Coordinates of all heavy atoms in Angstrom, one line a residue:
S1 N 0.8 -1.2 0.0 CA 0.0 0.0 0.0 C 0.9 1.3 0.0 O 0.6 2.2 0.8 CB -0.9 0.0 1.2 OG -1.8 -1.1 1.2
L2 N 1.8 1.3 -0.9 CA 2.8 2.4 -0.9 C 2.1 3.7 -1.3 O 1.2 3.7 -2.1 CB 3.9 2.1 -1.9 CG 4.9 1.1 -1.3 CD1 5.8 0.5 -2.4 CD2 5.9 1.8 -0.3
K3 N 2.6 4.8 -0.7 CA 2.1 6.1 -0.9 C 3.2 7.0 -1.5 O 4.4 6.7 -1.2 CB 1.6 6.7 0.4 CG 0.6 5.9 1.1 CD 0.2 6.4 2.5 CE -0.8 5.6 3.3 NZ -1.1 6.1 4.6
P4 N 2.8 8.1 -2.1 CA 3.9 9.0 -2.6 C 4.8 9.5 -1.5 O 6.0 9.7 -1.8 CB 3.1 10.1 -3.3 CG 1.8 9.5 -3.7 CD 1.5 8.4 -2.6
E5 N 4.3 9.7 -0.4 CA 5.1 10.2 0.8 C 6.1 9.1 1.3 O 7.0 9.4 2.1 CB 4.3 10.6 1.9 CG 3.2 9.7 2.4 CD 1.8 10.0 1.8 OE1 1.8 10.3 0.5 OE2 0.8 9.9 2.5
D6 N 6.1 7.9 0.7 CA 7.0 6.9 1.0 C 8.3 7.0 0.1 O 9.3 6.3 0.4 CB 6.5 5.5 0.9 CG 5.4 5.1 1.8 OD1 5.5 5.5 3.0 OD2 4.4 4.5 1.5
T7 N 8.3 7.9 -0.8 CA 9.4 8.1 -1.7 C 10.6 8.6 -0.9 O 10.5 9.6 -0.2 CB 9.0 9.1 -2.8 OG1 8.0 8.6 -3.6 CG2 10.2 9.5 -3.6
A8 N 11.7 7.9 -1.1 CA 12.9 8.2 -0.3 C 14.0 7.2 -0.7 O 13.7 6.2 -1.4 CB 12.7 8.1 1.2
V9 N 15.2 7.4 -0.2 CA 16.3 6.4 -0.3 C 16.2 5.7 1.1 O 16.2 6.2 2.1 CB 17.7 7.1 -0.4 CG1 18.7 6.0 -0.4 CG2 17.7 7.9 -1.7
Y10 N 16.1 4.3 0.9 CA 16.0 3.4 2.1 C 17.3 2.8 2.4 O 17.9 2.2 1.5 CB 14.9 2.4 1.8 CG 13.5 2.9 1.9 CD1 13.0 3.8 0.9 CD2 12.7 2.6 2.9 CE1 11.7 4.3 1.0 CE2 11.4 3.1 3.0 CZ 10.9 3.9 2.1 OH 9.6 4.4 2.2
H11 N 17.7 3.0 3.7 CA 19.0 2.4 4.1 C 18.7 1.3 5.2 O 17.8 1.5 6.1 CB 19.8 3.5 4.8 CG 20.2 4.6 3.9 ND1 21.4 4.6 3.1 CD2 19.6 5.7 3.6 CE1 21.5 5.7 2.4 NE2 20.4 6.4 2.7
C12 N 19.5 0.3 5.1 CA 19.4 -0.7 6.3 C 20.6 -0.4 7.2 O 21.6 0.2 6.7 CB 19.4 -2.1 5.9 SG 20.9 -2.7 5.1
A13 N 20.5 -0.8 8.4 CA 21.6 -0.5 9.4 C 21.6 -1.7 10.4 O 20.6 -2.3 10.7 CB 21.3 0.8 10.1
A14 N 22.8 -1.9 10.9 CA 23.1 -2.9 11.9 C 23.6 -2.4 13.2 O 24.4 -1.5 13.2 CB 24.1 -3.9 11.3
R15 N 23.0 -2.9 14.3 CA 23.4 -2.5 15.6 C 23.8 -3.6 16.4 O 23.1 -4.7 16.4 CB 22.2 -1.7 16.2 CG 22.2 -1.5 17.6 CD 21.0 -0.7 18.1 NE 20.9 -0.5 19.5 CZ 20.1 -1.2 20.3 NH1 19.3 -2.1 19.7 NH2 20.1 -1.1 21.6
N16 N 24.9 -3.5 17.1 CA 25.3 -4.6 18.0 C 24.7 -4.3 19.4 O 25.2 -3.5 20.2 CB 26.8 -4.6 18.1 CG 27.4 -5.9 18.6 OD1 26.6 -6.7 19.2 ND2 28.7 -6.1 18.5
P17 N 23.6 -5.0 19.7 CA 22.9 -4.7 20.9 C 23.4 -5.4 22.1 O 24.0 -6.4 22.0 CB 21.5 -5.1 20.6 CG 21.7 -6.3 19.7 CD 22.9 -6.0 18.9
G18 N 23.2 -4.9 23.3 CA 23.5 -5.5 24.5 C 22.6 -6.7 24.8 O 23.0 -7.6 25.4
Q19 N 21.3 -6.6 24.4 CA 20.3 -7.6 24.7 C 19.7 -8.1 23.4 O 19.5 -7.3 22.4 CB 19.2 -6.9 25.6 CG 19.7 -6.5 26.9 CD 18.6 -5.8 27.7 OE1 17.4 -5.8 27.2 NE2 18.9 -5.4 28.9
R20 N 19.5 -9.3 23.3 CA 19.0 -10.0 22.1 C 17.6 -9.6 21.7 O 17.2 -9.8 20.5 CB 19.2 -11.5 22.1 CG 18.3 -12.1 23.2 CD 18.5 -13.7 23.2 NE 17.6 -14.3 24.2 CZ 17.4 -15.6 24.2 NH1 18.0 -16.4 23.3 NH2 16.6 -16.2 25.1
L21 N 16.8 -9.1 22.6 CA 15.4 -8.7 22.3 C 15.3 -7.2 22.0 O 14.2 -6.7 21.8 CB 14.5 -9.1 23.5 CG 14.4 -10.6 23.8 CD1 13.5 -10.8 25.0 CD2 14.0 -11.4 22.6
S22 N 16.4 -6.5 22.0 CA 16.4 -5.1 21.9 C 16.2 -4.6 20.4 O 16.7 -5.2 19.5 CB 17.7 -4.5 22.4 OG 17.8 -3.1 22.2
T23 N 15.4 -3.5 20.3 CA 15.4 -2.8 19.0 C 15.6 -1.3 19.3 O 15.6 -0.9 20.4 CB 14.0 -2.9 18.3 OG1 13.0 -2.4 19.2 CG2 13.7 -4.4 18.1
S24 N 15.9 -0.6 18.3 CA 16.1 0.9 18.4 C 15.6 1.6 17.2 O 15.8 1.2 16.1 CB 17.6 1.2 18.6 OG 17.8 2.6 18.7
A25 N 15.0 2.8 17.5 CA 14.5 3.7 16.5 C 15.5 4.9 16.3 O 15.2 5.8 15.5 CB 13.1 4.2 16.8
K26 N 16.6 4.8 17.0 CA 17.5 5.9 17.0 C 18.7 5.6 16.0 O 19.4 4.6 16.2 CB 18.1 6.2 18.4 CG 17.0 6.4 19.4 CD 16.1 7.6 19.1 CE 15.2 7.9 20.3 NZ 14.3 9.1 19.9
S27 N 18.9 6.5 15.0 CA 19.9 6.2 14.1 C 21.3 6.2 14.7 O 22.2 5.4 14.3 CB 19.9 7.3 12.9 OG 20.1 8.5 13.4
Y28 N 21.5 7.0 15.7 CA 22.8 7.0 16.3 C 23.2 5.7 17.1 O 24.3 5.5 17.5 CB 23.0 8.2 17.3 CG 21.9 8.4 18.3 CD1 21.9 7.5 19.5 CD2 21.0 9.4 18.2 CE1 20.9 7.7 20.4 CE2 20.0 9.5 19.2 CZ 20.0 8.7 20.3 OH 19.0 8.9 21.3
D29 N 22.2 4.8 17.3 CA 22.5 3.6 17.9 C 23.1 2.5 17.0 O 23.6 1.5 17.4 CB 21.2 3.0 18.5 CG 20.8 3.5 19.9 OD1 21.7 4.1 20.5 OD2 19.6 3.5 20.2
Y30 N 23.0 2.8 15.7 CA 23.5 1.9 14.7 C 24.9 2.1 14.3 O 25.4 3.2 14.2 CB 22.5 1.9 13.5 CG 21.2 1.3 13.8 CD1 20.2 2.1 14.4 CD2 20.9 0.0 13.5 CE1 19.0 1.6 14.8 CE2 19.6 -0.5 13.8 CZ 18.7 0.3 14.5 OH 17.4 -0.2 14.8
D31 N 25.6 0.9 14.1 CA 27.0 1.0 13.8 C 27.4 0.9 12.4 O 28.5 1.4 12.0 CB 27.7 -0.2 14.6 CG 27.4 -0.2 16.1 OD1 27.8 0.8 16.7 OD2 26.7 -1.1 16.6
Y32 N 26.6 0.2 11.6 CA 26.9 0.0 10.2 C 25.7 0.3 9.3 O 24.6 0.0 9.7 CB 27.3 -1.5 10.0 CG 28.5 -1.9 10.8 CD1 28.3 -2.7 12.0 CD2 29.8 -1.6 10.5 CE1 29.3 -3.1 12.8 CE2 30.8 -2.0 11.3 CZ 30.6 -2.7 12.5 OH 31.6 -3.1 13.3
W33 N 26.0 0.9 8.1 CA 25.0 1.4 7.2 C 25.3 0.9 5.8 O 26.4 0.9 5.4 CB 24.9 2.9 7.3 CG 24.4 3.4 8.6 CD1 25.1 3.6 9.7 CD2 23.1 3.8 8.9 NE1 24.3 4.1 10.7 CE2 23.1 4.3 10.3 CE3 21.9 3.9 8.2 CZ2 21.9 4.7 10.9 CZ3 20.7 4.3 8.8 CH2 20.8 4.7 10.1
G34 N 24.2 0.6 5.1 CA 24.3 0.4 3.7 C 24.2 1.7 2.9 O 23.9 2.8 3.4
Q35 N 24.4 1.6 1.6 CA 24.4 2.8 0.7 C 23.0 3.3 0.4 O 22.8 4.4 0.0 CB 25.2 2.5 -0.6 CG 26.7 2.3 -0.3 CD 27.3 3.6 0.3 OE1 27.2 4.7 -0.3 NE2 28.1 3.4 1.4
G36 N 22.1 2.4 0.5 CA 20.7 2.8 0.2 C 20.2 2.3 -1.1 O 20.9 2.0 -2.1

């Protein structure tokens, strides 16, 4: 159900978390990034 406002460059990122159930919405928490 994509919308025009979804238009963007999408990047994936990897974060080495302290806990295996952890997620983060903060970009500064992530250590590695793809080019998009």
Side-chain angles (χ1 to χ4, degrees):
S1 302
L2 283 162
K3 304 175 181 179
E5 51 263 44
D6 294 319
T7 295
V9 177
Y10 284 69
H11 299 267
C12 67
R15 168 177 172 254
N16 196 347
Q19 298 178 0
R20 63 178 183 169
L21 299 180
S22 173
T23 61
S24 176
K26 306 297 185 183
S27 60
Y28 54 72
D29 279 339
Y30 290 82
D31 304 297
Y32 304 101
W33 292 81
Q35 292 298 308

